[in-house]
Amino acid sequence: MSAVLFAAAARLHPGDGYALAYGSHATHPGPTSDLDLLYTGTGPLTPAALTRLVEEVKVLHSANGLDLDEEVAYATKLYTTHDDIQAATRLEGFAGATTYATPLSDPAALNSHGFKLRLLLNILTTPHVILGGDVHTYRHHVTRAERATVLLALRIADAPKLALHQAIDALLSSPEGHTGQAWLGYQPGPHLYAVVRRGLAHLAHEHLVHVRHDEITWRPQ
């Protein structure tokens, strides 16, 4: 089922970037799970083109008996520019934030530009499927996102020296015990471990961290 959906979703791509499927259809979808999609391009879509894309994606869901998830509006989450992705990898989605938790009970915050940047970072660092498009740019964005995710973990931990598992734990749960979608949307497992490992390698290459025997040393900003 997912392969057919992926092919149909890829044909809807309106931009000159790349398209991704993420969420449950990239892991273990249920029979009516919504199909989370992200389309990217070098520039914004016109309002008419964005409206058309949203309607086409909704028709794809209806034709295949899939649920719709509009907690974050499709007009907010379905399409993004490469400039916004670059902003996400600079952690601009967390600029001025008083908490890293997901504002689940605040529809306005969930549909804000700041939260969209958080969502973009999460999409690129959780399991997903590339549906087609500019693979070179996609790989560059993933590399930048992995680097940024480790920087986020280090900022949350706020310690000049910590173990690898502490950096991963910072992404998985808050000091108050918030986890999953209530925190940063990450799940424990080999994928997150690999993301953090690769992100650390990027930062070490830039001499921003030092890693020895799974102990990370860095200078908090």
Side-chain angles (χ1 to χ4, degrees):
M1 179 67 163
S2 285
V4 174
L5 286 173
F6 291 162
R11 289 194 291 272
L12 301 180
H13 188 17
D16 52 359
Y18 54 87
L20 302 177
Y22 62 99
S24 60
H25 277 271
T27 53
H28 301 96
T32 64
S33 297
D34 66 297
L35 178 60
D36 293 303
L37 297 166
L38 175 68
Y39 298 97
T40 79
T42 55
L45 296 180
T46 65
L50 180 58
T51 297
R52 183 166 58 250
L53 177 62
V54 169
E55 290 306 312
E56 289 172 340
V57 167
K58 288 183 176 182
V59 168
L60 177 64
H61 278 71
S62 178
N64 289 276
L66 303 180
D67 298 329
L68 288 172
D69 180 2
E70 298 188 79
E71 187 176 29
V72 178
Y74 281 103
T76 299
K77 67 182 179 180
L78 195 56
Y79 181 85
T80 196
T81 65
H82 293 173
D83 283 346
D84 270 353
I85 292 176
Q86 295 288 8
T89 65
R90 293 192 296 268
L91 298 179
E92 291 182 16
F94 298 93
T98 57
T99 177
Y100 295 100
T102 301
L104 293 176
S105 60
D106 188 342
L110 286 174
N111 286 281
S112 68
H113 184 253
F115 185 75
K116 178 177 182 173
L117 298 184
R118 294 190 189 196
L119 180 61
L120 293 174
L121 185 68
N122 181 266
I123 290 169
L124 290 169
T125 53
T126 54
H128 58 264
V129 178
I130 183 165
L131 304 178
D134 183 353
V135 175
H136 175 77
T137 299
Y138 158 74
R139 288 174 174 164
H140 172 70
H141 286 168
V142 169
T143 296
R144 299 296 296 175
E146 291 173 344
R147 174 191 181 278
T149 297
V150 175
L151 280 178
L152 177 62
L154 297 177
R155 290 183 186 180
I156 294 170
D158 194 26
K161 186 176 293 186
L162 67 162
L164 174 64
H165 74 84
Q166 291 175 302
I168 294 173
D169 288 346
L171 296 171
L172 290 172
S173 63
S174 72
E176 298 78 24
H178 299 304
T179 61
Q181 295 303 319
W183 183 231
L184 295 170
Y186 292 103
Q187 298 296 327
H191 187 275
L192 181 59
Y193 180 86
V195 164
V196 172
R197 275 293 192 189
R198 288 192 296 266
L200 281 170
H202 302 318
L203 292 172
H205 182 72
E206 298 173 41
H207 305 292
L208 294 177
V209 303
H210 177 73
V211 184
R212 179 177 173 82
H213 302 310
D214 285 349
E215 183 176 75
I216 306 163
T217 304
W218 77 300
R219 181 178 299 173
Q221 303 298 313

